[in-house]
Amino acid sequence: STIDIENTLGITFCERLPLAFTHGMGTQVWDEAGKAYLDFTSGWGVTCLGHSHPAVVAAIAAQAARLMQSPNAGFSYSPERAALLQQLQAVLPKGLTNTYFCNSGAEANNAALKLARKVTGKHKVVSTQGSFHGRSFNTLSVSRGTDNTSRYLPQLADISFVPHGDTAALAAVLDHGTAAVIVEPVQGEGGVRIPSLEWLSEVEALCRQHGAMLIVDEIQTGFCRTGKFFALEHSPTPIQLDFMTMAKGIAGGFPFAAFAVNEAVNARIQKDDHGGTFCGNPLGCALSNTVIGYLREHDIASSG
């Protein structure tokens, strides 16, 4: 059976449910025995239009029939990437002028942390207890807290954790040696922790005071998950951030991600600072363009 094969030949890092799903439609999925289930997980928060949405299926089929991966990858231009850049610019928070596409939320956060250190010339990063920013070595170092990072040695130096939503605690550890502060507007893995509406503005002010980059992780909260296109839009004062990372709902279930930066950061990014084989591939870009267009056209953010 499917389960026996996976248990024998695969590697698993979690305790799995004894279920093998074969197909889905809308909010439902079906297992090998034909039993239907309501998917409250939304495929781990990615199927923002539901399973097998006609717009998603059509976009995949149409682009796959033309070009899935460009020759010379990121060293050439792409009509699909250009279209997505324009589509995304219409919804990004004001001040974010340039975007780079990648494969996963962890990769987006990893790049943001790496580039923030490079741009500032500083090393220290402040994160929040209970946070989750990915499973790469760099992103694990700023996830959950020291009880998590200590499992993966050597632990990266100059990482501090403060309680989510606690401005005073952040002010106590932030200094002029801090390269970046990375936060989720609403914590997901940490237990759906919702800070005050003013908190992000307070974090931004502290970052400006100390010359630190502000990285806002909208991987779980972005693309109409909270009643706004991005969760930071709930702040009563517009947030001026340096990096914003995006994934999950950005492509309706297809592995895809992005990070956007402001003009000042973009001016200090140089050739060969980052890259990737599949970054901004035509298939992912065409699909993401379709998904974001659908979310905008149908005003999904406010329809819930």
Side-chain angles (χ1 to χ4, degrees):
S1 70
T2 297
I3 294 173
D4 290 336
I5 292 170
E6 289 209 34
N7 284 338
T8 302
L9 302 178
I11 298 175
T12 182
F13 295 97
C14 62
E15 185 175 347
R16 295 182 179 178
L17 297 171
L19 297 169
F21 295 110
T22 60
H23 62 287
M25 180 64 66
T27 59
Q28 290 186 300
V29 290
W30 284 262
D31 66 13
E32 287 184 315
K35 183 177 180 180
Y37 299 81
L38 187 60
D39 180 13
F40 279 105
T41 75
S42 297
W44 263 178
V46 303
T47 54
C48 59
L49 301 184
H51 293 280
S52 302
H53 191 282
V56 170
V57 174
I60 291 175
Q63 186 58 44
R66 290 196 297 269
L67 185 67
M68 293 176 62
Q69 171 74 347
S70 297
N72 222 16
F75 291 91
S76 56
Y77 292 92
S78 163
E80 291 74 30
R81 188 161 55 229
L84 177 55
L85 285 168
Q86 290 181 306
Q87 180 83 264
L88 195 55
Q89 194 59 221
V91 297
L92 283 175
K94 187 177 180 180
L96 295 178
T97 58
N98 297 81
T99 302
Y100 187 87
F101 300 113
C102 45
N103 305 302
S104 71
E107 184 178 329
N109 280 332
N110 190 74
L113 291 165
K114 176 183 73 173
L115 292 171
R117 287 181 166 122
K118 192 259 184 185
V119 165
T120 62
K122 298 184 283 189
H123 302 285
K124 182 177 177 179
V125 174
V126 180
S127 184
T128 57
Q129 295 168 5
S131 62
F132 185 76
H133 300 292
R135 297 186 187 276
S136 69
F137 192 75
N138 204 12
T139 55
L140 277 172
S141 70
V142 295
S143 295
R144 296 175 180 159
T146 54
D147 58 331
N148 175 65
T149 60
S150 62
R151 295 192 300 160
Y152 304 96
L153 300 176
Q155 183 177 341
L156 292 184
D158 296 328
I159 306 292
S160 297
F161 291 92
V162 297
H164 190 260
D166 191 331
T167 304
L170 177 61
V173 301
L174 206 58
D175 55 33
H176 290 292
T178 304
V181 175
I182 182 169
V183 296
E184 300 161 278
V186 177
Q187 275 195 348
E189 302 295 318
V192 192
R193 295 175 179 170
I194 305 174
S196 70
L197 292 179
E198 295 77 20
W199 181 62
L200 279 180
S201 293
E202 295 165 354
V203 174
E204 179 198 342
L206 287 170
C207 286
R208 300 294 166 252
Q209 179 182 341
H210 295 284
M213 299 278 107
L214 173 56
I215 304 171
V216 175
D217 177 343
E218 287 268 8
I219 288 164
Q220 290 200 46
T221 53
F223 301 96
C224 309
R225 293 292 300 280
T226 67
K228 300 285 186 181
F229 220 94
F230 296 104
L232 60 80
E233 295 173 20
H234 290 284
S235 173
T237 305
I239 307 301
Q240 300 298 315
L241 58 161
D242 302 287
F243 292 82
M244 187 171 78
T245 57
M246 302 160 276
K248 292 193 181 289
I250 192 173
F254 186 81
F256 200 72
F259 62 90
V261 302
N262 62 27
E263 192 171 348
V265 171
N266 186 62
R268 300 186 67 179
I269 294 176
Q270 299 173 307
K271 292 179 181 178
D272 205 34
D273 277 350
H274 194 59
T277 299
F278 299 102
C279 293
N281 68 86
L283 182 60
C285 286
L287 179 53
S288 180
N289 189 35
T290 295
V291 169
I292 296 172
Y294 189 98
L295 293 173
R296 294 178 62 202
E297 181 183 351
H298 293 82
D299 195 18
I300 299 298
S302 61
S303 64

